[in-house]
C-alpha cells in the first residue's frame, strides 16, 4: 500500500497566492510586506512554501528587483484567478445573505472610461446604491482581454473580443473624429477632411502601448501614409486638448471630446470607427447579468 504524500500540506493557499501576487505587483518583498502588514521573514517563508508546493522557484531575487521565473509566469494568472474567485465567492455569499453592499469588478480601456461609462455608472448607482463598482483600466484591448481570461474582473467593456467563451452584448459603433486647432487651415472646410491631405503633418499620437495608437496607424496606413509624430501622450484625454493647442491633428473617439472644446472637429475620410461590446465570464451571477443588460440598454458609444 502506498504511503500518503500529505496533499493538504502541499496544497497552495489563498494567502500564499496573495503574497506572490503582491510581491510581483510591488516588485519588492519589502514593499509587499509593508502593504500586507506582515514581517518580511514571514512573507519570504510563505513564498518559499508556495515554491516547494509548485516544485521549483517562482521568483528570481535580484539586487534591486524581483522577477518571475518561467514557472512563476505560468502560475501567476492562476493565482490571480483564484483570488478573484474567492472575492466573488464572498460577494455572492453577502448577496445571498441579504446583506447590504457587495461589489462588481468592471474592466475597460482608458478611452471608454471617459467616453462611454459615466452615464451608465450614474444610472447603476441610482438603481443599486449598495453594490460598489471596482473599475480596472487598461491601455490596450489585448491587456483587457487577458485580464478577463485570468479572472481579474466580472465583466469588460471594450472592442468586440474574438472567440470569447461567455456572454457578449453589442454596444454599438464608436466613431472617431480628427481634432485640430480652431485656426487650423483645414478647419475652414466642409467639416470633413481626407486623411491623405494630412500626410505631411506631424500628429498628436499616443504612447505605443495605447490601443488608440494602433487605430491611428491603421487609419493612416489605409490612407497611404505613415503618420509623423509631434508628441506622444499616455493620457487619452490629453490628445484632443494638445490638438486644440496647435501641436497637430489628433484622431480620437468623438465621445472623448469634452464639452466646450476649444478646437475644431472634422469627420475623417474614409471614416474611422470600431465596434464595442460588453462581455462577461462564463456563467455570470445575477448582478453581473444586470450590469450587462444595463450596458446594452444605455451605453451610447
Amino acid at each position: 500500500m502506498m504511503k500518503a504524500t500529505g496533499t493538504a500540506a502541499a496544497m497552495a493557499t489563498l494567502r500564499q497566492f496573495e503574497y506572490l501576487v503582491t510581491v510581483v505587483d510591488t516588485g519588492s518583498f519589502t514593499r509587499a510586506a509593508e502593504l500586507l502588514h506582515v514581517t518580511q521573514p514571514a512573507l519570504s517563508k510563505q513564498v518559499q512554501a508556495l515554491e516547494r508546493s509548485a516544485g521549483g522557484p517562482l521568483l528570481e531575487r535580484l539586487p534591486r528587483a524581483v522577477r518571475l521565473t518561467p514557472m512563476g509566469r505560468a502560475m501567476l494568472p492562476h493565482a490571480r484567478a483564484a483570488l478573484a474567485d474567492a472575492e466573488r465567492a464572498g460577494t455572492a455569499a453577502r448577496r445571498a445573505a441579504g446583506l447590504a453592499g457587495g461589489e462588481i469588478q468592471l474592466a475597460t480601456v482608458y478611452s471608454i472610461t471617459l467616453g462611454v461609462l459615466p452615464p451608465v455608472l450614474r444610472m447603476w448607482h441610482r438603481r443599486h446604491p449598495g453594490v460598489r463598482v471596482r473599475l480596472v483600466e487598461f491601455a490596450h484591448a489585448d491587456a483587457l482581454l487577458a485580464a478577463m481570461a485570468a479572472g481579474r474582473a466580472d465583466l469588460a467593456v471594450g472592442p468586440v473580443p474574438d472567440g470569447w467563451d461567455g456572454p457578449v452584448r453589442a454596444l454599438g459603433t464608436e466613431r472617431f473624429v480628427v481634432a485640430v486647432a480652431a485656426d487650423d487651415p483645414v478647419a475652414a472646410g466642409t467639416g470633413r477632411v481626407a486623411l491623405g491631405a494630412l500626410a505631411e503633418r506631424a500628429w498628436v499620437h499616443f504612447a505605443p502601448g495605447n490601443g488608440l495608437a494602433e487605430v491611428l496607424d491603421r487609419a493612416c496606413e489605409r490612407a497611404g501614409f505613415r503618420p509623423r509624430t509631434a508628441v506622444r501622450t499616455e493620457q487619452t484625454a490629453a490628445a484632443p486638448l494638445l490638438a486644440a493647442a496647435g501641436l497637430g491633428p489628433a484622431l480620437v473617439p468623438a465621445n472623448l471630446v469634452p464639452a466646450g472644446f476649444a478646437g475644431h472637429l472634422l469627420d475623417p475620410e474614409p471614416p474611422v470607427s470600431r465596434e464595442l461590446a460588453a462581455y462577461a465570464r462564463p456563467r455570470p451571477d445575477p448582478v453581473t447579468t444586470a450590469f450587462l443588460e444595463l450596458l446594452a440598454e444605455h451605453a451610447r458609444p
Side-chain angles (χ1 to χ4, degrees), residues 61-271:
R61 295 152 177 84
L62 305 175
R64 294 187 178 180
V66 177
R67 184 167 60 194
L68 284 165
T69 66
M71 286 185 65
R73 288 194 296 272
M75 176 176 281
L76 184 64
H78 299 285
R80 292 192 189 278
L83 292 171
D85 283 339
E87 174 65 24
R88 277 189 290 272
T91 300
R94 290 192 294 272
R95 292 169 185 162
L99 301 177
E103 182 177 86
I104 187 168
Q105 299 175 4
L106 173 62
T108 189
V109 291
Y110 295 144
S111 61
I112 291 175
T113 299
L114 299 168
V116 177
L117 290 182
V120 176
L121 292 172
R122 181 171 59 248
M123 185 167 295
W124 176 264
H125 180 67
R126 289 174 179 172
R127 291 185 182 182
H128 309 283
V131 181
R132 300 184 305 274
V133 178
R134 180 187 296 179
L135 191 60
V136 185
E137 299 170 276
F138 297 90
H140 198 286
D142 289 347
L144 173 66
L145 185 59
M148 281 294 292
R152 295 179 61 188
D154 297 305
L155 72 160
V157 182
V160 177
D162 291 330
W164 180 251
D165 185 21
V168 179
R169 299 286 188 276
L171 300 182
T173 302
E174 184 177 46
R175 182 173 64 92
F176 283 73
V177 294
V178 176
V180 296
D183 59 355
D184 192 292
V186 299
T190 62
R192 297 181 178 276
V193 62
L195 288 179
L198 302 174
E200 299 303 317
R201 302 284 293 274
W203 287 73
V204 175
H205 215 317
F206 298 92
N210 191 312
L212 295 184
E214 294 181 5
V215 173
L216 173 59
D217 287 342
R218 286 197 299 265
C220 293
E221 182 180 0
R222 289 194 296 269
F225 70 99
R226 184 175 182 178
R228 295 191 298 114
T229 299
V231 62
R232 286 187 183 268
T233 177
E234 294 187 4
Q235 300 185 36
T236 305
L241 304 182
L242 294 172
L247 275 74
L251 185 68
V252 297
N255 54 39
L256 184 68
V257 180
F261 178 61
H264 194 79
L265 301 178
L266 302 160
D267 289 319
E269 292 290 352

